[in-house]
Amino acid sequence: AEVEGAFLLPTFRAPRPAMVHVYLYVPNLIGYTRVLLIILSFHLRASPLPFLLLYLASVLLDGLDGHAARALNQTSHLGALLDMLTDRCGTLALLAAISLSQPPLGPVALALVALDIHAHFLQTAAAAAAGAGSHKAAMRAGGEDGSEAKLTVYQRMVA
């Protein structure tokens, strides 16, 4: 409170940091980098070592984006979606590269892609049914494997 007639020194405050748009969040920038690495790795699939190094770099960055999001308080729905889609595209690129280099494995690779996409769709639907913020939160809330949330989705689907 100000006292009339008293001399008060002005209060100096650090300027507020500028708001960063969600597209420029550090974890999302990592996600964009992962997408580029996956595209490059698939493009270089005929050269095993560059393919492997680029793909592994994308996998390593996958672990980094979540830590960055929590450490920098930059979690977002866009980031969660980008992370899951990038994971699916990475798996698809890997299995496509395998099936192109080893055609007899094509049907197996296709089945694994379908299983991966289906499992993550169910996991995301279970999270939504459980009211969780993400598919990972549903796993934590619904037991070790998210079975309670998955059961809820199953029951709603067959009811």
Side-chain angles (χ1 to χ4, degrees):
E2 279 192 43
V3 178
E4 195 170 322
F7 177 74
L8 298 175
L9 294 174
T11 305
F12 293 98
R13 292 184 186 168
R16 277 188 168 191
M19 293 296 295
V20 176
H21 196 281
V22 68
Y23 296 143
L24 299 177
Y25 281 4
V26 170
N28 294 344
L29 295 174
I30 293 170
Y32 308 145
T33 303
R34 289 184 60 214
V35 169
L36 290 174
L37 289 169
I38 289 168
I39 291 169
L40 284 172
S41 70
F42 186 74
H43 179 69
L44 297 173
R45 67 187 179 276
S47 304
L49 186 60
F51 171 82
L52 183 64
L53 292 175
L54 291 169
Y55 186 82
L56 285 177
S58 175
V59 170
L60 293 174
L61 286 176
D62 182 28
L64 183 62
D65 64 359
H67 290 293
R70 289 182 292 279
L72 300 172
N73 196 24
Q74 292 185 342
T75 58
S76 67
H77 291 292
L78 173 67
L81 181 63
L82 178 64
D83 185 53
M84 186 168 42
L85 287 174
T86 305
D87 289 346
R88 303 295 60 80
C89 290
T91 302
L92 176 64
L94 177 64
L95 292 171
I98 289 170
S99 67
L100 289 171
S101 68
Q102 302 293 320
L105 295 177
V108 174
L110 182 60
L112 290 172
V113 167
L115 176 64
D116 185 55
I117 291 171
H118 182 74
H120 279 82
F121 170 78
L122 287 178
Q123 186 71 24
T124 303
S134 74
H135 65 288
K136 293 177 184 175
M139 283 181 62
R140 288 189 297 272
E144 288 295 313
D145 63 351
S147 55
E148 292 174 26
K150 290 175 191 171
L151 181 60
T152 302
V153 170
Y154 175 74
Q155 289 169 340
R156 289 184 183 177
M157 290 171 65
V158 296

